[in-house]
Structure formats: C-alpha cells, structure tokens
C-alpha cells in the first residue's frame, strides 16, 4: 500500500533520478596500492568479519539506506533483502519517516525483515525526529541498529526541504540515548568533516558513515526537481569518502560510503581505515533487475573483496588498514591544503 501521493512520488522520483546519474570517476581513483609481488596471502586464510565496537558484521560491506514508501520501492527493498539474507550482507532501509507518518507505507519497509529474519537490518530516519520516532522506526523493522541521516545540503536544495537546523545536535543526542539500539550517523553524499566527527563523538555517537561525494549526488537530484534548477552549482559539493577518512581523527568507528563503485573501492575504503564500505546506487541497479541479480552481485563483491585482500597480503580488515597506499591527484591536493601528511 502506498503513502500519501506527493511524498510517495518523491521516493519513486529519487530512485529514477539516482539511476539516471552516470557512474563517474571519483577520488577513489586517486588511491593506489603499492604492489608487493611476494606479498600475497592465501585466499582461504582471509577473514572477512569486521568489528564495529558495538557489534560485528560477517562481511566488510553493506547495502546502504535507500528507499521504501511505495509499491515500486517495496519491490526494490524485497529484492535487496533476499540478496542480503542469501549472502549475509548487512542492510539498511531508506528513511522510515514516511511510514511513521502514514502506516499504509509500512509494508514496503517490513518486507526487509520478512525476507531476512535473522540478518543484520538497520532502520533509517532523518535527524530532527524525536527519540520516540527513532524507537518506532527500530520497532517497525525489528532493527539491529539505526541509521540517522544528516543532509543539510539536500534539505536546502529540496524545494519542500527543512529550513531549521539548529536543533540537530540536540536531536542526535536524544536519539543516541533513546533509540534502544546502536546508532550510526551518516551523511548522504557530502561527507563528514573531522570537526563534525569530533562533535558527533561528544554527542555520544560511536559509529559514523562518512557518506562522501563522488557517487549519487543529492544536490543534483533535488536541483533537477526544482522548476528552474537554481542550485546547479552545488553539484559535487562536499568531501569524498577517501578525503573524509584521511581527515578523520581516532575515536569513532568509521564506515565509508558515497561513490563505492566496486569491490576495489570497498577495499580502498578499508585500507584508509573504514571498518566497512556502504553501497547504494550500485546495488540499486542490481535490484532493478531482480533478486537473482542482487544475489549474484553481492556474492561477486564478497568473493572479490576476499581475493583483493589476499592479493594485498591482508588476512583481516585490521591488517588491510596497515597496507601501503599512495594518494595522488585531487585527493593529494586536498590533503595538502588541509595539512594532512
Ligand atoms: C539514498 N540515500 C539515502 N540515505 C539515507 O540515509 N536515507 C534515505 O532515505 C536515502 N534515500 C536514498 C534514495 C536513493 C534512491 C539513493 C540512491 C540513495 C543515500 C545513500 O544512502 C548514500 O548515502 C548515497 O546514495 C551515496 O552512496 P552511493 O549511491 O554513491 O553508493
């Protein structure tokens, strides 16, 4: 069953507009590995499990929060959940707010738990909602964790977007203490700076997804929903996931997403210190084909990550974080400008 038409239409539009964006070159291309010809380890000795402090995942990548709220997006969630269950990949849903406000939209989210009763499932809401809403979102999916997205750029460009941001820190603090499950704060494609990560730590957040630029661009998506496209200059705004990882201090368990196009990009994220890599649009493309395509895609990523780790001589995510990398191009220039060695 669908939610109220305008909001539902937005969910379907987001999917169509995200799929229309080309897969682009991005700053993951500026991260190179130093190849050591005698450095590889046995594929069978590679352990994919990753520890995020509050919980552990069987694989170091996950299906990032995207959608729900309509019949079409319910079918996408179903296909993704079937793949997640089959291959054992953690999965988030899109913002549950639409279902909290209109129960007719609930089924397009609960299908995720129905198809994946034992897997790691994350609910998702926007910052600014109450701790009570956070709890309801978690309960709806019987979720193991809650993603809270912070998306000021998207809201500003979105014609019907939020215009008040000063309560966001308070909201995050309340959600972190009241959600009842571990909270993961994420950006939606503009990046989390080092000072933002420090602020989050001070608010009691333990896990953050840096959600950088270089993949799905929500400034561009929302701008194309405006009558005159007034914000076209904000396309490409923010920092990439590799830039955020290089900038970040210690303290939080970090996840990397935004522009993760392949298992190779995922492995680069891990080498730069992420505990796992989040993938949205690449898995959305598979979901549009159907559940078998999702299963194949997730299995391929899992096996390729294992192979690449063996090639790099890393038997674990921890060992991969100690791999030799070289940073070039725009990313190196960004690091220089920020005073990062
Ligand atoms: C998203 N994303 C997103 N994030 C979030 O926290 N809540 C949401 O409701 C949505 N909705 C959404 C819809 C669609 C169609 C897409 C493709 C994405 C953002 C997503 O989690 C991720 O941060 C960005 O898409 C960047 O990752 P990719 O697409 O470059 O892998």
């Amino acid at each position: 069953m669908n939610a109220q038409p305008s909001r539902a239409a937005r969910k379907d539009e987001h999917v169509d507009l995200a799929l229309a964006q080309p897969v682009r070159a991005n700053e993951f291309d500026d991260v190179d590995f130093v190849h050591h010809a005698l450095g590889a380890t046995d594929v069978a000795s590679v352990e994919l499990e990753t520890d995020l402090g509050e919980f552990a995942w069987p694989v170091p990548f996950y299906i990032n929060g995207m959608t729900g709220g309509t019949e079409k997006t319910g079918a996408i969630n179903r296909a993704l959940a079937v793949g997640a269950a089959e291959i054992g990949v953690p999965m988030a849903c899109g913002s549950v707010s639409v279902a909290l406000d209109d129960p007719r939209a609930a089924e397009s989210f609960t299908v995720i738990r129905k198809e994946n009763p034992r897997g790691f499932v994350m609910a998702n809401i926007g910052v600014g909602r109450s701790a009570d809403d956070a709890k309801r979102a978690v309960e709806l999916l019987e979720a193991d964790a809650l993603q809270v997205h912070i998306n000021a750029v998207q809201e500003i460009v979105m014609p019907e977007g939020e215009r008040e941001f000063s309560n966001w820190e308070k909201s995050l603090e309340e959600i972190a203490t009241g959600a009842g499950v571990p909270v993961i704060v994420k950006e939606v494609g503009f990046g989390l700076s080092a000072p933002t990560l420090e602020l989050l730590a001070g608010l009691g957040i333990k896990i953050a997804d840096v959600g950088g630029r270089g993949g799905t661009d929500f400034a561009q998506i929302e701008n194309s929903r405006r009558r005159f496209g007034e914000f076209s200059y904000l396309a490409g705004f923010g920092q990439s996931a590799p830039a955020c990882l290089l900038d970040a201090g210690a303290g939080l368990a970090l996840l990397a997403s935004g522009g993760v196009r392949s298992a190779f990009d995922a492995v680069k994220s891990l080498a730069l210190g992420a505990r796992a890599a989040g993938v949205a649009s690449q898995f959305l493309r598979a979901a549009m084909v159907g559940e078998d395509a999702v299963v194949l895609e997730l299995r391929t990523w899992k096996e390729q990550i294992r192979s690449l780790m063996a090639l790099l001589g890393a038997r674990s995510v921890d060992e991969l974080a100690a791999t030799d990398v070289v940073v070039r191009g725009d990313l190196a220039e960004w690091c220089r400008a920020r005073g990062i060695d």
Side-chain angles (χ1 to χ4, degrees):
M1 200 56 111
N2 288 355
Q4 45 178 295
S6 62
R7 237 170 144 188
R10 184 167 85 216
K11 301 294 167 182
D12 287 351
E13 252 182 288
H14 280 168
V15 168
D16 295 340
L17 291 167
L19 288 169
Q21 293 192 340
V23 180
R24 287 175 277 231
N26 66 33
E27 285 181 5
F28 280 106
D29 300 327
D30 289 338
V31 180
D32 273 347
F33 289 104
V34 179
H35 173 55
H36 300 299
L38 287 174
T41 191
D42 299 342
V43 171
S45 71
V46 172
E47 175 54 68
L48 291 179
E49 192 178 273
T50 186
D51 182 5
L52 284 111
E54 297 188 284
F55 48 80
W57 284 344
V59 290
F61 70 105
Y62 58 101
I63 303 170
N64 218 345
M66 280 184 276
T67 204
T70 66
E71 211 173 305
K72 171 173 160 167
T73 57
I76 291 169
N77 276 341
R78 190 181 167 282
L80 291 170
V82 168
E86 172 85 18
I87 309 299
V89 178
M91 171 178 173
C93 62
S95 177
V96 187
S97 294
V98 61
L100 299 181
D101 299 338
D102 183 348
R104 290 174 299 167
E107 208 181 307
S108 60
F109 292 94
T110 53
V111 65
I112 291 174
R113 183 48 95 194
K114 196 170 145 224
E115 295 294 345
N116 189 9
R118 282 175 297 280
F120 194 101
V121 167
M122 292 168 269
N124 180 306
I125 56 163
V127 64
R129 303 286 304 214
S130 66
D132 190 48
D133 285 345
K135 259 196 146 130
R136 287 170 59 213
V138 167
E139 279 162 16
L140 188 72
L141 280 108
E142 298 166 58
D144 303 285
L146 175 70
Q147 289 187 329
V148 183
H149 62 266
I150 45 180
N151 61 339
V153 185
Q154 182 185 8
E155 296 291 346
I156 286 289
V157 182
M158 197 191 306
E160 69 276 33
E162 183 61 68
R163 294 293 177 260
E164 290 176 8
F165 306 103
S166 58
N167 65 336
W168 277 13
E169 285 178 39
K170 189 162 172 282
S171 160
L172 284 176
E173 201 164 22
E174 282 171 12
I175 292 173
T177 43
V181 291
V183 165
I184 301 164
V185 171
K186 75 183 282 285
E187 243 290 358
V188 301
F190 304 96
L192 295 177
S193 64
T196 305
L197 291 169
E198 263 175 48
L199 262 176
L200 291 175
L203 297 173
I205 305 298
K206 298 196 169 58
I207 306 172
D209 174 345
V210 297
R213 73 163 191 219
T216 304
D217 186 334
F218 266 90
Q220 217 168 45
I221 287 178
E222 298 300 352
N223 192 51
S224 64
R225 296 180 59 244
R226 296 185 80 93
R227 194 150 164 226
F228 300 112
E230 304 91 321
F231 282 108
S232 58
Y233 49 76
L234 282 183
F237 187 82
Q239 294 93 254
S240 68
C244 294
L245 293 170
L246 289 163
D247 195 27
L252 291 176
L254 293 181
L255 301 170
S257 74
V260 178
R261 300 155 298 181
S262 64
F264 198 33
D265 289 344
V267 166
K268 288 177 179 179
S269 304
L270 304 176
L272 294 178
R275 305 304 303 174
V279 184
S281 56
Q282 284 301 102
F283 293 161
L284 176 63
R285 288 175 211 282
M288 300 311 288
V289 180
E291 62 187 58
D292 291 348
V294 177
V295 171
L296 180 65
E297 182 82 354
L298 296 180
R299 178 174 291 127
T300 304
W301 278 59
K302 182 176 170 183
E303 289 322 312
Q304 287 191 2
I305 289 173
R306 191 191 297 283
S307 300
L308 292 168
M309 286 175 68
L311 172 63
L312 294 163
R315 279 164 303 185
S316 66
V317 170
D318 279 340
E319 284 189 14
L320 188 53
T323 312
D324 285 341
V325 293
V326 175
V327 171
R328 300 181 292 107
D330 287 347
L331 183 58
E333 194 182 317
W334 191 88
C335 287
R336 265 196 305 277
R338 290 282 293 161
I340 301 164
D341 294 333

